[in-house]
Amino acid sequence: MSFSVDNSGKVYILGKNYFEKKDESVGRKPNYNFKILILESDKQTPSELTIDLEDKFLIDVNIEPMENGQIVCAGAYSEKVDATKVEVFIIWQLIR
């Protein structure tokens, strides 16, 4: 969905991860979460972070790596897949 590169050259890739077939919901629960893959030149395998607000439907997610090693993650969610009411969230994620 999107990517970002920090000053040290780490690449952050944000993507939507479906658990089953590509449907937004299974029953009344989200059928997906968002993942951040972190690629570093000195590691063969990317690190992975999961963005999951349990039973809430994430509508839009954006990430921004900070100089202090944290990732700011912000976006919008709703309580239902076809909701008219939308809430906002912000997460600070400390990474190694």
Side-chain angles (χ1 to χ4, degrees):
M1 292 187 64
S2 69
F3 74 94
S4 187
V5 180
D6 69 13
N7 291 338
S8 68
K10 289 181 188 175
V11 178
Y12 302 82
I13 302 170
L14 175 66
K16 196 172 193 178
N17 175 51
Y18 288 92
F19 304 133
E20 297 177 27
K21 60 185 180 179
K22 193 174 175 180
D23 287 332
E24 294 298 307
S25 65
V26 172
R28 294 178 180 227
K29 296 188 181 262
N31 186 39
Y32 61 89
N33 61 18
F34 283 82
K35 299 270 185 183
I36 302 171
L37 294 179
I38 304 166
L39 306 169
E40 300 176 66
S41 62
D42 61 341
K43 295 184 180 177
Q44 285 189 306
T45 306
S47 302
E48 184 177 291
L49 298 172
T50 301
I51 304 167
D52 191 348
L53 299 181
E54 299 179 6
D55 293 340
K56 298 183 177 28
F57 290 88
L58 295 169
I59 298 167
D60 183 38
V61 177
N62 295 291
I63 58 171
E64 184 64 38
M66 306 301 288
E67 290 183 20
N68 64 0
Q70 293 184 327
I71 299 173
V72 176
C73 176
Y77 69 90
S78 68
E79 298 287 335
K80 300 177 185 175
V81 69
D82 57 353
T84 56
K85 181 181 175 185
V86 175
E87 303 287 337
V88 175
F89 72 91
I90 297 175
I91 301 171
W92 290 83
Q93 175 67 49
L94 180 63
I95 59 174
R96 304 172 244 125

